Amino acid sequence: MIRLKNILLELKDDDISRLLNKINNKEYRFFEQGDNGRVYEIDGEDKLFKITNESDEFDVATVIVGRYGEFSTFIPVYYVNNKKQLYIMSKASPLSGTDSNNINRFMESYKQYAREQGGEISIFDYLDADGARDVDQELISFLRALQQDINKMGIMDLDLDLDFKTDNVMRWQGRLVLIDW
């Protein structure tokens, strides 16, 4: 069943063409740079595009493109270009100080747990070990949903390679979403 909310989140071919024309005509400006690429804001739009040099990151974008209803813990991705390793996504809002603090506290506890375990431990292994007893409930719910989304993707070791940190989580339509992975 197609839900109205999902239809509203989709971009029509005309919308994608308009965005691509703006990109081709250099109607954008630098927005942010991360470890794996650069992000640009498209003029007059609430959309961004990223050119990444990380193939694993692009692989995730190709799985989630047009599927926000299925992968709601990731920022919606509307278009991917394999040649340029470019993808168009929604623009999200920064986290509040409380959200950032909650994630930072969780990550510090997770890192301590991983050191104690002495092996490759994912954030989900830490959650499963009941290591997040004192963590904000919204964050736990988000991480559990993220765990399910990652399992659905079928990308080998994504749970271990996931770049989960405060800089890579934002809010979109009031919900926590991963904007970089």
Side-chain angles (χ1 to χ4, degrees):
M1 172 190 271
I2 297 175
R3 294 187 166 172
L4 179 59
K5 182 178 178 182
N6 291 343
I7 291 171
L8 295 174
L9 293 175
E10 294 175 7
L11 291 181
K12 296 177 182 70
D13 290 342
D14 291 346
D15 296 324
I16 296 292
S17 293
R18 184 186 75 251
L19 294 172
L20 291 173
N21 283 336
K22 285 186 172 191
I23 292 169
N24 289 333
N25 292 325
K26 300 189 185 324
E27 295 177 36
Y28 59 83
R29 62 188 160 284
F30 175 77
F31 186 74
E32 187 71 48
Q33 182 168 345
D35 295 336
N36 301 322
R38 296 172 63 96
V39 179
Y40 301 89
E41 184 174 21
I42 302 170
D43 292 349
E45 305 286 344
D46 65 344
K47 305 289 184 275
L48 306 170
F49 72 93
K50 181 172 186 176
I51 300 173
T52 182
N53 56 18
E54 179 62 44
S55 61
D56 291 341
E57 181 179 330
F58 190 76
D59 289 346
V60 170
T62 61
V63 170
I64 66 175
V65 63
R67 298 171 69 186
Y68 181 73
E70 291 177 67
F71 298 102
S72 62
T73 58
F74 291 84
I75 192 74
V77 173
Y78 302 103
Y79 170 84
V80 295
N81 180 305
N82 291 321
K83 262 188 188 173
K84 297 179 182 179
Q85 285 200 279
L86 171 149
Y87 55 93
I88 297 174
M89 61 187 159
S90 283
K91 185 177 180 183
S93 302
L95 295 176
S96 69
T98 301
D99 289 336
S100 294
N101 288 338
N102 287 337
I103 292 170
N104 287 333
R105 274 196 314 273
F106 171 80
M107 289 306 293
E108 286 305 313
S109 296
Y110 156 71
K111 288 175 187 175
Q112 178 63 36
Y113 176 78
R115 283 190 289 273
E116 290 168 2
Q117 296 303 308
E120 285 193 285
I121 305 293
S122 76
I123 58 174
F124 309 119
D125 294 331
Y126 176 60
L127 277 178
D128 292 342
D130 200 28
R133 286 178 289 250
D134 299 329
V135 176
D136 175 71
Q137 189 57 48
E138 181 186 22
L139 180 57
I140 289 174
S141 296
F142 169 72
L143 291 170
R144 287 295 182 200
L146 179 62
Q147 182 178 24
Q148 290 176 353
D149 283 354
I150 287 173
N151 288 339
K152 280 191 288 189
M153 285 183 186
I155 297 175
M156 189 69 117
D157 292 333
L158 180 57
D159 61 334
L160 294 171
D161 297 331
L162 190 65
D163 193 12
F164 185 79
K165 59 184 179 181
T166 306
D167 294 346
N168 293 341
V169 180
M170 294 182 91
R171 286 207 177 261
W172 184 74
Q173 295 189 341
R175 298 179 58 166
L176 294 172
V177 291
L178 214 55
I179 60 153
D180 193 2
W181 39 85

